[in-house]
Amino acid sequence: MLQATPVPIQDLQGALGAAGRVRQLRQVLLWPLRLMPVLGSEGHRRKPWKLLRNLGDASPWHEVVDEYSGDSAGFHERHYNEFVTFLPYVQQFLYGEGRMRRDADDAGTGSPMRVFRRQDVAQVRVTSPAQAGALTLDIVHIDLYFFFDVDLVLFNLEVAGADLGLSQTQDLLHRFGRAYPAGWDAMGQALHCMSNVEWLATDGRVLAQSDSQQSEAFLEHVAQHRAPRFAAHWQFLLEPLVSDHSGRDGALRYRQIEYYRMPLMAYLALDNPRALTRSEFIRLGLVTGIGEPGSSAESAQALPYAEQHLADFEQRFCYDRFWAEGGAAPNTRYLCSGQSLVVVGAAHSEFFGCRDRGVLAQFRHQHFLLFLIAHFQKAALLMFSDRLVEALKGLDVADPASVRRFKRAIRSSFEGFLRFTHRYWFHEISEQAQVRALYRLCVGHLGLDPLYAEVKERIGDMNAYLDADSLRRQANTVVRLTVVTIFGLIGTVTTGFLGMNLLAEAEAPLARRLAWFAAVLLATGGLTVYTMVKSKRLSDFLDALSDERLPAWTKLKSLAAVWQRDPD
């Protein structure tokens, strides 16, 4: 397949070198996926993390004992600072009630969040169309986050690099976290993603690589399934979880729930962050990359969008509380667009690079968790919306079984949404000014409050419809019973008047009495059933009969209508 000619990224360094090199880079990807429910033998939903845990050595994933490091010896001051950052109800969500009760499988005692980690992948080697040669990054960790009572999994990948060019870093942030190509250019090069991605084992072996250049496979999959095909290297990392549209066998199946571009966080330690231009900050904050391959240094310095669109960039996307020459971490700036959270600071600052007490520790712990909470909430709301759509698509009002399935699905969604609201829906997660401000900035850009209100209204409308339908059915039942009672009262009073018996069969033989009993039972039962069949029309006749304004002839016509056929 033809490929575009790579342009050395060093050609762009002349205009972008004032800020120096990126001495340390951390890129964190957080990919929300919807899990398809797994039903047990009795129809109960099975917990996905238990299925994954039960695979044992057949799976590369192993449960992390807690959210810190897996053993008490690995508990450091940065973990303590992370814990005390959050309000008590958020602590309950993140950590549960302690290690001694960690084995509990319900969310009443243990943490509602379960974490699994794989450690067989040591590095990733990426090749970009905008640079010559490949770049190798270290894998810090690869995790899966499961949540109690919510059919979601959050895939988390953190990579680390050192001594990179700024343009190289911008290109990496822009291209790396793509679940599949956005398309292909005239030369067959995949758009907006890496030319090649390879996962490397500890001994340097290639465990898996991307297939983004194989456009035919992606086109055929979409044409057949009307669903995207995930790139091979991402499918490898998620195994034994499999795509629900892939046709592969697997109990744990997932579907895309958000945009194909994974939300990301980035930590950049620069020689001189003050030397970054406004265009460079915009490209970092909005993760726009460095432009198309072959672009000039002047075009790379230009704004990625129109000036009027970016006029309020600093007010909307920047948190500049520490963007000053003084302080423990001078010249530190946070850029948040909802889909990204980027922190830029000075590499020479000891506090900025400290992994125990400094900005790096905060980035990997407090800031990661606030980013995770916000994106978990958004993914959960989108999941509830998808479930409503699927319930409606499967509804056939002429099929009683379909109606029953629809009612169960809506009731289940309503109950699940209530549990989500009381367990996972937070407006504030911390009283610390920085964490609170970053969380509000992230939530605001993601539009969580309007999305929550919309999903709540839709679920409420569905549930109100079911309640109204149930009341309607109950009212119809009451009407029918009333009609049967009224007309049955006539016969009851007639036959029971003064205890009169029309047939003196009290002393008759048993067989004769049983015969009379059976005959009367059949006649009474038949009359009752017939009255139920005609109960709606008889109810209309009773309404007309009780209306004093109607003449006698109209009332007789209403009685005759009981036996008339409906017009075709």
Side-chain angles (χ1 to χ4, degrees):
M1 180 178 293
L2 296 176
Q3 294 186 0
T5 304
V7 177
I9 201 165
Q10 288 80 4
D11 293 347
L12 301 176
Q13 289 299 318
L16 301 179
R21 299 187 66 80
V22 179
R23 298 303 176 184
Q24 185 176 3
L25 168 70
R26 295 294 181 100
Q27 181 176 358
V28 179
L29 299 177
L30 193 66
W31 187 16
L33 294 167
R34 179 185 173 187
L35 289 172
M36 306 311 294
V38 181
L39 300 180
S41 57
E42 298 181 357
H44 300 295
R45 292 194 176 191
R46 303 181 64 183
K47 297 179 176 62
W49 65 80
K50 294 184 68 176
L51 292 173
L52 188 59
R53 185 175 60 193
N54 293 339
L55 292 177
D57 294 336
S59 167
W61 299 99
H62 301 284
E63 188 172 10
V64 179
V65 177
D66 59 27
E67 289 72 31
Y68 300 122
S69 61
D71 55 60
S72 56
F75 187 86
H76 301 289
E77 186 176 341
R78 62 180 180 271
H79 303 131
Y80 177 82
N81 293 334
E82 170 195 313
F83 179 83
V84 300
T85 295
F86 298 101
L87 293 170
Y89 49 84
V90 185
Q91 294 173 355
Q92 177 68 24
F93 160 52
L94 295 174
Y95 315 108
E97 295 188 1
R99 186 186 305 280
M100 298 304 294
R101 306 178 72 175
R102 178 63 175 170
D103 293 335
D105 282 326
D106 57 70
T109 54
S111 170
M113 184 172 69
R114 297 299 175 104
V115 186
F116 284 74
R117 178 168 296 173
R118 63 182 300 168
Q119 298 177 330
D120 56 326
V121 184
Q123 293 180 314
V124 57
R125 183 163 58 217
V126 297
T127 304
S128 171
Q131 63 176 328
L135 173 65
T136 301
L137 303 169
D138 293 327
I139 301 292
V140 180
H141 58 72
I142 308 174
D143 293 338
L144 290 176
Y145 287 80
F146 295 90
F147 301 89
F148 181 81
D149 208 28
V150 178
D151 294 329
L152 286 177
V153 62
L154 266 63
F155 170 79
N156 171 229
L157 168 67
E158 181 179 348
V159 299
D163 198 24
L164 305 175
L166 178 60
S167 297
Q168 195 175 23
T169 301
Q170 290 175 322
D171 186 65
L172 177 67
L173 298 181
H174 177 67
R175 295 180 182 274
F176 183 42
R178 307 277 179 160
Y180 47 84
W184 296 265
D185 61 19
M187 303 295 293
Q189 174 67 49
L191 298 176
H192 307 307
C193 65
M194 293 294 177
S195 300
N196 191 35
V197 179
E198 297 175 314
W199 305 117
L200 306 178
T202 53
D203 58 1
R205 290 182 298 108
V206 177
L207 299 174
Q209 66 178 10
S210 65
D211 57 352
S212 300
Q213 310 304 328
Q214 301 176 15
S215 58
E216 295 82 2
F218 290 88
L219 294 175
E220 181 182 356
H221 189 277
V222 173
Q224 181 178 358
H225 299 285
R226 293 297 186 267
R229 177 185 183 273
F230 302 115
H233 61 292
W234 296 119
Q235 292 190 49
F236 169 79
L237 282 191
L238 288 168
E239 291 177 350
L241 282 73
V242 297
S243 172
D244 191 41
H245 299 287
S246 66
R248 301 167 56 192
D249 294 332
L252 291 171
R253 313 186 70 85
Y254 59 85
R255 287 186 180 183
Q256 181 182 5
I257 196 170
E258 289 194 45
Y259 192 48
Y260 84 108
R261 188 174 181 180
M262 304 176 192
L264 67 89
M265 299 174 61
Y267 168 94
L268 282 70
L270 290 164
D271 290 330
N272 182 16
R274 279 285 176 180
L276 289 174
T277 65
R278 185 169 186 264
S279 172
E280 291 165 350
F281 271 120
I282 290 173
R283 291 182 180 276
L284 285 173
L286 302 182
V287 198
T288 63
I290 57 174
E292 295 300 321
S295 59
S296 63
E298 290 76 12
S299 62
Q301 279 284 52
L303 294 177
Y305 308 116
E307 174 60 39
Q308 59 268 27
H309 179 72
L310 300 170
D312 57 350
F313 171 80
E314 286 76 12
Q315 289 72 32
R316 292 176 58 198
F317 301 104
C318 298
Y319 179 68
D320 288 341
R321 183 179 183 183
F322 305 104
W323 188 237
E325 294 291 347
N331 302 320
T332 298
R333 188 176 224 185
Y334 293 87
L335 310 167
C336 180
S337 66
Q339 290 297 320
S340 64
L341 176 59
V342 180
V343 56
V344 177
H348 59 80
S349 170
E350 181 179 356
F351 183 77
F352 185 80
C354 179
R355 64 187 298 268
D356 288 318
R357 302 178 182 86
V359 176
L360 179 58
Q362 296 170 1
F363 171 83
R364 299 187 66 239
H365 292 271
Q366 292 95 310
H367 300 162
F368 168 73
L369 287 176
L370 74 86
F371 196 70
L372 179 143
I373 291 172
H375 281 274
F376 162 70
Q377 291 176 339
K378 180 181 179 181
L381 292 172
L382 293 176
M383 181 207 66
F384 284 118
S385 180
D386 284 353
R387 288 172 60 179
L388 291 179
V389 173
E390 291 172 359
L392 281 173
K393 287 196 302 184
L395 175 63
D396 182 1
V397 293
D399 182 4
S402 173
V403 173
R404 287 193 295 270
R405 288 194 299 269
F406 172 75
K407 289 184 176 181
R408 286 196 296 267
I410 297 302
R411 298 294 188 195
S412 176
S413 296
F414 183 72
E415 294 168 2
F417 186 77
L418 287 179
R419 290 191 292 269
F420 165 80
T421 297
H422 293 285
R423 181 180 288 137
Y424 300 121
W425 182 246
F426 315 122
H427 286 285
E428 296 290 348
I429 64 172
S430 175
E431 287 299 325
Q432 294 186 10
Q434 180 188 11
V435 175
R436 184 173 58 201
L438 289 176
Y439 180 71
R440 288 179 177 176
L441 197 60
C442 188
V443 165
H445 285 300
L446 292 177
L448 291 191
D449 287 334
L451 179 60
Y452 177 85
E454 179 182 354
V455 174
K456 181 179 180 181
E457 181 179 3
R458 289 184 179 184
I459 293 180
D461 289 344
M462 291 287 191
N463 192 64
Y465 164 75
L466 294 183
D467 289 342
D469 183 69
S470 178
L471 291 175
R472 179 185 62 81
R473 291 175 179 273
Q474 292 177 13
N476 289 339
T477 301
V478 170
V479 168
R480 289 181 172 88
L481 291 176
T482 303
V483 170
V484 172
T485 301
I486 290 174
F487 284 92
L489 183 64
I490 299 174
T492 302
V493 173
T494 301
T495 58
F497 182 68
L498 298 178
M500 179 177 57
N501 295 320
L502 295 178
L503 301 173
E505 299 292 341
E507 303 299 331
L510 178 61
R512 186 174 178 178
R513 283 182 290 166
L514 289 177
W516 276 110
F517 175 79
V520 174
L521 179 63
L522 289 175
T524 306
L527 181 61
T528 302
V529 171
Y530 183 75
T531 306
M532 290 290 293
V533 171
K534 297 293 184 178
S535 59
K536 186 178 185 306
R537 295 187 178 185
L538 288 172
S539 174
D540 296 336
F541 165 67
L542 292 178
D543 289 339
L545 190 63
S546 62
D547 192 344
E548 298 178 353
R549 296 170 297 177
L550 296 178
W553 176 246
T554 303
K555 296 179 181 181
L556 289 175
K557 287 174 61 178
S558 177
L559 176 61
V562 173
W563 293 277
Q564 291 180 353
R565 292 186 177 182
D566 292 328
D568 294 336

